[in-house]
Each structure stands twice: as structure tokens, then as C-alpha cells.
Amino acid sequence: MRLFYLLFLLMAPGLSLYAQNSPGLRNVIVDSSSYVPVDKYRALGVSYTTTRDEALSPLVFQGPGVTFSASSWKYNRNWLLQPAFTGRLHLLKNASGSSVYNEAAFKYQYTALRELLSLQHGNWRFWAGPEAGMLLNMRLHSRNTNNIASYDWAGFLGASAMVSNRFSLWGRTFAVSNQLHIPLFFLYARPPFAWAVPPAIFEEAEGAWKEVFQVGTLNNIMSLSNQVNLDFYLRKRKKGKLVQYRAFRLTYNWNYFAVGTGNPLKTGGHALSFSRVITF
Amino acid sequence: MKKILFYFSFLFLLCNTGCEQILIEDDPENKAVDNFNLLWNTVDEKYSFFIYKNIDWDSVYSVYRPRVENGMPQQELFGVMAEMLNVLEDGHVNLSSSFNVSRNWNWYLNYPQNFNYVLLERNYLQDDFEITGPFRNKIIGKVGYIYYGSFVSGFTDGQMNYLIQKFKDCKGIIIDIRDNGGGRIDLIARLTSYFVKEEHLAGYVRYKDGPGHDEFTSFYPQKVEPAGKTFSQPVAVLTNRSVYSAANAFASFMASLPDAVLIGDRTGGGGGAPYSGELMNGWRFRFSTTQMVNVNKEQIENGVAVDIEQNLLPADEARGVDSILERALEYFKEK
């Protein structure tokens, strides 16, 4: 079943290219040729994470949490600029339920997408561009001795691609966008093989910082994030008169991060969040 | 087709569920054999004293693995695992279940206790000693006496400065750490800092750096900076076989000082700091992943030798005399 899911995921971008659109759709994502205000999103939602962090435990821990984010989309000529900050808090438990640990995950990234292709009067758009950012995950396993805390810090450079579509349904206008983020180069830090803190710092050794940070690429560190947004309007009426449109965004995010060296880490999860578009 | 697209979007959402579970392997099954293998493998990769203790961990697997069968009673499985871990002869190695905790306490059980707190309190401390933070203290025969029972208990600069001031006219300081089983690692250098006058190299530590039994980091020097105020007198540290872990390291630090002596019995050891893990059945375990050594890079896992050997003699104990404390007092009279 899991293989089916993986194959379907790989097919999804290709399948979406064959979707059809009817004429006369109102463009929820405004034409990039004209200057528009920055669209700001403040989202709150729920998430679920699966983690194996061998710095804390050889076992898999899973659990729910809350997610919050602050991001914006700014159109600048042919570019779409996307600064975004995301935070998640989780309570994870192992399969036997015998122990739990807390996890806090934070990520900031700045993505610059350039429109590469526009089809069907802008109803379909394809974007790609570079991105940079950093992430910080911290975990606390209070039942351990000495290896109580674990962390992942990474600064990264990578690429992102997005396909967006607008359409009308039931008399309303919607926009769907699917964006994939793939960091390619990392500067990262993880707990050492058998201790919670890089001993070089702990022992105040000279040149300690050189032992703390490592350079990584996809052969030893991997990060993937896929985000699907559904934008829609709700009409606000007062005394039967239409007074305001309010725009909202429903976002589903899947993310995965893995480090293969030292104390190996694999963590991935899902988040569903909801935000009101503050300016549109 | 619009509806197909709309429904497709939600189907796409669904297809994203469970993806990371393809990439993150499941835990081994919660069966006796899998739990045994996880314990053996984790210790194999991270335990720090195989070479020093000349332990063939592969042969240990050959001996104990045949005794494990899926479906065996939990107590029996615990017994096999505990017996296997006991081969390490390490007080920092424990397996904890809801019904028992495995341990190796031979490092003090096989030796005389050499400490009687009731005797100490009734005949030496009596009713006029002070309790300054974790330190029970008193001036005994012009010597400042401090008993520190556990490195789990922290202390403040204010408390130490009080003792320094209180004992400033004493000819010597006795710091008694008998029966101190250890505690916080950060307090080792901190307590030593009140006995050094300048930056002092007190020992070294190294950490497991990879899964091979000989994969370690380099030795990191452990230097102690003097505290704001320090004791000016010579110091005697009283030890017995129950001095373990952080207390053992403190004894090693103090042994490196030129004006400090260790009196009593050799310490119990415990030169590795423990690191935790857990099994699928909820049992937890810990074991040593580091090596602390003295200033000469000699291992302290099996204890720190004393400068003046002295046991608590049964005849002395019977008449209420602490032979080890008396030897320390005599040491300062001779100086």
C-alpha cells in the first residue's frame, strides 16, 4: 500500500498537467505584469510527525502537534518572492507508549520563483527558482541520562518549483498551488555519535566550531517539503448587500528531513493549517 | 473536468499521507530476539570500555543469544539480558524494567565499607556541626571538616565562600566523600576550582566517535580555573570503595593537585559517563560511552589509588573511632 502511495505521489505532477479549465475564470492569483500588494498569511493548524532520532533512542516516535506559520507572497515583475517562517510543537511517543519526548521545529526560508510557463490565459502557471533558509529542530527526552536533548540545525541552499491553477466551481473561484522544496547544499550540526553536545564545545577545545558544523549534500543529508495550497473567497454580506470578500488559504504540507552520519536522524510529517489572507 | 480537478486535489492530499513511513523503517518487532539484538547492537556500537576491559563482545553474543527465544517469559528474558550486561562489570550499566533494575555493585560490595555515618555523626559531628547547602561541616582539632554525600546536590558560591571564611584559620581541610556515589558531571570541576590557585590541568576525557570498539575522539584536556575565592590550606580527601562516577572523577582531579592527598581506600571507579537507550518492550538501559582518565592519561574506570591507605578498623569502629578520619587528622598534625 505504501508503494502505491509513493508511485501515486510521483505521478501526481504529471497527472495535473492534463487537467482542463473552462474559460472566464477569475484569476485569483493576479497577473504578474501589474504591481499588487503583498499577500500575507498567518496560519495555524495541526500536524503529525514520525521521527527516529538515534541521539535519543533507537526507536520510532510518533505524535501530534500544532503548527503555526507566517509567510507572504510578493510579486515583483516576473518573480514571486516567498519569505516564510514555520514552527511546530509535537509530543511524540514510542510504539509501546513507555516514553515520550517533546519536539520543537522551526524553519525559515526565502524562495524566489520565476514564472516559466503560463497556459490557458494564465489559468495554469509553472514556476521555479532558488531558495535559501535554515531550520532548527530540538527534542527533549527527559527520561534519558546525559543524552537528554537532541537538535538538528541546518542552513541550506536549494531549489523550489510550483504549479498553480485557478478554476471556478459552484460559482466560486478557487486557486490551487503545489510547491516542492528541495534543499541541495547544507551546513548542518547534529549531536555527536555518543553524546548530547559536540565534545569540542563541551570541553572548550580550540577550533571547536570546526567540529560542530559539517557540510552536506544529498548523499548524507536530505530534506524534502511539498506544500499544497487551496485559496478561496468567502463573501461577507451586510443587510443582504455584498460588502467584502475575505480570502482564505487551506494548506497541506508534507516534509521529510534525514541525516545519515553520526547519530542518524529521520523525521517526517504532515501538517494541515488554515490562514486568512491578510492583504489581497 | 473542473470537478475532476477539484477532487483530484483532495486525492493528491490523501496520497501524501504515510509517505515518510516508507522512508523511515519500522522498529523491529517487539519480540524477545529483536529486543535482545537491539540491546546487544547498541552496546556494541557505543560502549567505551571493551578494549580496556578486554571483553570479546562477539563471543558474549554467542553465549547469550542461544538462551533467548521468542515468547519466553519476560522475567527470564530480563535475566538473560542482565547476565549479559553484567559481563561489562560496570556500575554505569543498567537495564530497567517495571519489575527490576539490573546492576553491578561489586565495585563496592566485594570490599570493606570503610564508612560509618552513624559513628561519624554521633562521635565527631555531634550536635554542633553546620549544614551549609549539601555540606555537613565542623572544625575538628583545628582542621576544617566537610562531608559531601552526593554530587547530585549542587552548591553556591556563597556557600563555598562561607566555608572558606569559616575555615580560614584551620591548618588543613578534610573533604570526606566516602559513600558519595556521584551525580552531576558539571560539579566535578566546579568543586575542584575552590582548591586550585591557577588554571590547572586535572585530567582528560574522550568520547566514542563511531561504532568500532576503538573509535574515539581525541583526548580533551579538562582544565580547572580557580574560583573567585579558594581554600589556602592543604587538603585531604577521604575515600572508600563506594566513591563512584562523578565523585571518583573528583578524587582523580584532587589527586592531581600538589597539596592534596587521598586517604582511605581506593575509590570504586566509574570513569565513563552513561548514555541511555530503550527497547521495543519499554525496557530502558544505560551504559558508558566516554572515558575519563587522570592527568597521566591512566584510566580511572577501576578507581583512583589513595596516597595513604587506611581502613576503618573493626576495633576502632567498635569503640567509636573513625580510623580514616583520625588518620587524616594525624596527617595534618605531622605537617
Side-chain angles (χ1 to χ4, degrees):
Chain A
M1 198 61 177
R2 288 175 183 168
L3 184 59
F4 168 78
Y5 284 149
L6 181 61
L7 287 174
F8 196 98
L9 179 65
L10 293 173
M11 286 164 52
L15 286 175
S16 66
L17 292 176
Y18 291 94
Q20 296 180 23
N21 297 278
S22 64
L25 289 176
R26 194 148 57 88
N27 191 353
V28 173
I29 298 179
V30 183
D31 289 332
S32 60
S33 59
S34 58
Y35 173 75
V36 292
V38 174
D39 302 332
K40 295 181 181 177
Y41 308 90
R42 301 292 182 262
L44 196 61
V46 294
S47 55
Y48 191 88
T49 287
T50 301
T51 298
R52 174 184 278 121
D53 183 350
E54 296 194 28
L56 296 178
S57 170
L59 304 181
V60 172
F61 281 65
Q62 294 179 302
V66 295
T67 179
F68 49 91
S69 69
S71 59
S72 62
W73 285 22
K74 178 179 180 181
Y75 297 84
N76 188 359
R77 291 184 183 267
N78 292 322
W79 292 88
L80 173 57
L81 306 177
Q82 300 174 316
F85 171 80
T86 306
R88 295 180 189 181
L89 304 173
H90 296 111
L91 182 64
L92 308 179
K93 192 167 63 172
N94 62 8
S96 68
S98 60
S99 60
V100 299
Y101 62 67
N102 301 294
E103 178 181 70
F106 304 100
K107 186 176 185 181
Y108 176 81
Q109 63 191 26
Y110 194 96
T111 308
L113 297 177
R114 186 176 175 87
E115 184 182 298
L116 300 180
L117 190 60
S118 177
L119 300 174
Q120 297 184 0
H121 308 288
N123 284 346
W124 282 98
R125 290 179 175 183
F126 302 90
W127 313 70
E131 67 176 13
M134 67 171 64
L135 61 87
L136 173 64
N137 303 325
M138 296 175 291
R139 300 174 195 93
L140 185 66
H141 194 343
S142 57
R143 291 190 67 189
N144 279 358
T145 305
N146 291 320
N147 56 323
I148 291 174
S150 175
Y151 59 90
D152 333 313
W153 177 90
F156 56 85
L157 295 172
S160 180
M162 182 172 78
V163 56
S164 63
N165 174 243
R166 63 175 186 266
F167 59 94
S168 288
L169 192 65
W170 303 318
R172 293 174 185 270
T173 303
F174 296 87
V176 174
S177 56
N178 185 11
Q179 186 169 7
L180 185 66
H181 302 268
I182 306 178
L184 300 170
F185 301 101
F186 300 84
L187 181 67
Y188 70 96
R190 277 275 298 158
F193 183 72
W195 203 243
V197 177
I201 291 180
F202 186 65
E203 304 301 333
E204 298 179 354
E206 289 183 14
W209 294 104
K210 295 177 189 172
E211 297 189 30
V212 173
F213 297 103
Q214 300 174 62
V215 175
T217 56
L218 292 179
N219 62 338
N220 61 350
I221 179 171
M222 184 183 182
S223 177
L224 276 176
S225 177
N226 188 55
Q227 183 167 308
V228 180
N229 302 310
L230 175 66
D231 298 338
F232 55 95
Y233 282 109
L234 290 180
R235 300 187 188 101
K236 182 179 178 183
R237 295 182 181 276
K238 194 172 183 180
K239 296 182 180 176
K241 290 186 179 177
L242 177 65
V243 296
Q244 191 179 20
Y245 284 100
R246 283 184 179 175
F248 296 92
R249 167 170 283 187
L250 186 66
T251 299
Y252 169 78
N253 177 270
W254 175 81
N255 66 90
Y256 177 75
F257 181 66
V259 178
T261 57
N263 265 312
L265 163 78
K266 289 184 179 178
T267 181
H270 315 261
L272 186 66
S273 60
F274 184 80
S275 68
R276 183 178 169 188
V277 182
I278 296 177
T279 60
F280 200 87
Chain B
M1 286 311 292
K2 299 174 213 172
K3 287 186 181 178
I4 290 173
L5 176 63
F6 195 74
Y7 294 140
F8 165 79
S9 300
F10 285 96
L11 195 58
F12 183 78
L13 286 177
L14 289 177
C15 83
N16 276 290
T17 60
C19 292
E20 76 283 354
Q21 295 185 13
I22 298 170
L23 301 168
I24 301 175
E25 302 86 6
D26 286 339
D27 287 335
E29 290 190 61
N30 184 11
K31 294 183 178 175
V33 171
D34 294 311
N35 280 306
F36 177 89
N37 287 337
L38 178 59
L39 176 64
W40 185 91
N41 280 317
T42 307
V43 173
D44 179 53
E45 289 186 355
K46 293 187 170 149
Y47 185 67
S48 53
F49 289 112
F50 286 123
I51 294 176
Y52 172 65
K53 294 184 179 181
N54 200 26
I55 296 173
D56 184 348
W57 195 236
D58 290 332
S59 69
V60 169
Y61 184 88
S62 306
V63 167
Y64 289 95
R65 169 62 185 87
R67 294 170 55 182
V68 177
E69 289 177 358
N70 289 331
M72 67 191 294
Q74 291 295 291
Q75 285 82 356
E76 206 175 308
L77 174 63
F78 185 93
V80 173
M81 288 184 175
E83 213 176 300
M84 178 179 74
L85 292 177
N86 210 42
V87 170
L88 302 174
E89 294 186 342
D90 190 329
H92 281 133
V93 175
N94 305 101
L95 177 66
S96 302
S97 68
S98 59
F99 51 85
N100 200 359
V101 177
S102 78
R103 66 269 175 201
N104 177 284
W105 290 345
N106 294 339
W107 40 272
Y108 77 88
L109 287 176
N110 290 347
Y111 303 92
Q113 192 61 35
N114 281 324
F115 182 61
N116 184 331
Y117 183 77
V118 173
L119 184 157
L120 177 72
E121 186 173 29
R122 288 176 179 268
N123 297 341
Y124 291 89
L125 297 177
Q126 296 177 320
D127 58 357
D128 58 344
F129 68 94
E130 292 188 330
I131 302 176
T132 310
F135 304 114
R136 308 201 160 201
N137 61 91
K138 181 178 177 176
I139 296 175
I140 302 174
K142 295 184 182 177
V143 175
Y145 172 86
I146 301 169
Y147 180 71
Y148 185 32
S150 172
F151 272 83
V152 172
S153 305
F155 48 87
T156 65
D157 264 343
Q159 290 161 349
M160 294 305 300
N161 291 340
Y162 173 79
L163 293 174
I164 292 167
Q165 177 63 27
K166 175 178 175 176
F167 296 150
K168 64 180 171 51
D169 296 326
C170 294
K171 58 167 61 177
I173 304 296
I174 293 173
I175 179 153
D176 188 350
I177 57 170
R178 288 177 290 174
D179 275 14
N180 186 323
R184 288 168 50 182
I185 299 173
D186 61 304
L187 295 178
I188 304 168
R190 185 138 173 265
L191 184 58
T192 309
S193 71
Y194 294 98
F195 298 95
V196 301
K197 308 290 187 294
E198 57 188 7
E199 184 186 81
H200 175 76
L201 174 63
Y204 297 88
V205 63
R206 65 178 182 174
Y207 304 77
K208 280 292 286 156
D209 198 25
H213 292 180
D214 58 353
E215 289 191 66
F216 287 91
T217 65
S218 54
F219 277 112
Y220 292 98
Q222 301 209 283
K223 296 179 182 175
V224 179
E225 298 286 339
K229 291 183 183 176
T230 61
F231 291 100
S232 57
Q233 305 91 333
V235 59
V237 182
L238 307 190
T239 62
N240 65 352
R241 292 280 177 165
S242 291
V243 170
Y244 201 74
S245 190
N248 176 68
F250 172 72
S252 176
F253 275 29
M254 294 299 287
S256 69
L257 298 180
D259 54 355
V261 293
L262 268 57
I263 300 176
D265 194 5
R266 184 184 185 92
T267 63
Y275 184 93
S276 297
E278 56 200 316
L279 304 177
M280 286 77 70
N281 59 7
W283 295 352
R284 299 183 53 77
F285 57 94
R286 65 170 202 165
F287 54 93
S288 306
T289 61
T290 70
Q291 287 184 351
M292 285 188 78
V293 298
N294 68 13
V295 68
N296 299 318
K297 292 189 179 174
E298 297 163 334
Q299 295 283 350
I300 62 172
E301 165 66 5
N302 290 331
V304 179
V306 294
D307 299 294
I308 301 174
E309 279 190 34
Q310 177 67 57
N311 288 325
L312 177 56
L313 303 174
D316 285 346
E317 188 177 4
R319 59 189 180 91
V321 173
D322 187 327
S323 319
I324 297 174
L325 178 53
E326 290 293 342
R327 184 64 185 89
L329 292 170
E330 189 184 321
Y331 168 78
F332 286 113
K333 279 183 192 169
E334 293 167 357
K335 279 186 82 67

